[in-house]
Amino acid sequence: MKVLIIGGVAAGTKVAAKLKRENFGCEVMILTKSKEISYAGCGLPYYVGKVIPDRSQLIVNTPESFSKLTGVNVMTEIEVTKVNPSEKTVYALDLNTKETINLKYDKLVIASGAEAIKPPVDGVNLKGVFCLRTPDDADALREAVESGEIKRAVVVGGGFIGLEIAENLSSQGVRVTIIDMAKHVLPGFDKEFCEYVENHLANQGIITFTETKLEVILGEEKVEKVQTNRRAYKADAVILSVGIRANTAFLADTG
């Protein structure tokens, strides 16, 4: 039996390893769009803040070490573009050669993860706008901080990742402002706890503006200012932390 797994971070690698443990004769292949598999996403803000000093410490398994350990065939930098359930085939694009490949399967596992949501506002693609989903994202933000490009940053979203990246940017000497549409940071927690967190952030020099909606990111070629429904904030960088959406566009019209 040939099993194709789309996606190679947490879910994809766990399924692959379990399949090989249960039946080593089963042919298992992982197709992943990124260069890495099995990385510690929760550590990305702390890599930016140098609490985790080295990028290699984020990588749990390399494609080579995972293949050697489990017997799974791992194909990196391969983007699946279409699935044909009736034919049991997958079309994919090799991101290096730009060639299209067609692969057959007996069983298909979809573990394609999610991507960061970019709100539909003008300026969201300016230089200096960052998301934080992959080690490459963390590299780009850390390099910008180290180069001295970022003196002031606005973090859009006061959930766990937003607060973690705010903390780590502040530790690197960046002046950080957090904005969130909710009444408090950490939506879903009780008011007393949220107010305690907001006061603690203020004591660390991180100011939060709640019930504040991002309207536009301003700048010519790079971020210069953030306009909200309340006021404008000067910024060299904007970090978007407003949630995620499933990577399922390639499954359109497949049923």
Side-chain angles (χ1 to χ4, degrees), residues 58-157:
L58 296 170
I59 309 303
V60 180
N61 268 305
T62 65
E64 295 77 18
S65 66
F66 186 77
S67 292
K68 185 176 180 180
L69 181 69
T70 63
V72 173
N73 184 10
V74 181
M75 296 182 67
T76 60
E77 296 182 275
I78 301 292
E79 181 180 5
V80 174
T81 55
K82 188 176 181 181
V83 174
N84 302 293
S86 58
E87 302 170 11
K88 290 192 172 182
T89 58
V90 162
Y91 287 95
L93 177 68
D94 186 316
L95 297 177
N96 290 313
T97 66
K98 305 304 179 185
E99 294 179 0
T100 299
I101 56 177
N102 185 12
L103 298 166
K104 283 191 163 290
Y105 64 84
D106 297 307
K107 299 288 184 181
L108 180 69
V109 178
I110 297 167
S112 46
E115 63 184 352
I117 292 174
K118 286 189 174 184
V121 299
D122 288 343
V124 76
N125 293 314
L126 283 171
K127 182 183 177 184
V129 177
F130 299 89
C131 295
L132 205 62
R133 285 292 295 169
T134 69
D136 286 345
D137 294 336
D139 265 339
L141 182 52
R142 178 165 161 165
E143 287 169 9
V145 173
E146 288 177 340
S147 71
E149 293 174 28
I150 302 176
K151 303 297 183 185
R152 290 176 290 199
V154 171
V155 176
V156 184

Side-chain angles (χ1 to χ4, degrees), residues 46-47 50-57 142:
Y46 299 97
Y47 172 67
K50 299 185 180 178
V51 177
I52 297 174
D54 192 84
R55 190 183 198 273
S56 64
Q57 293 174 280
R142 178 165 161 165

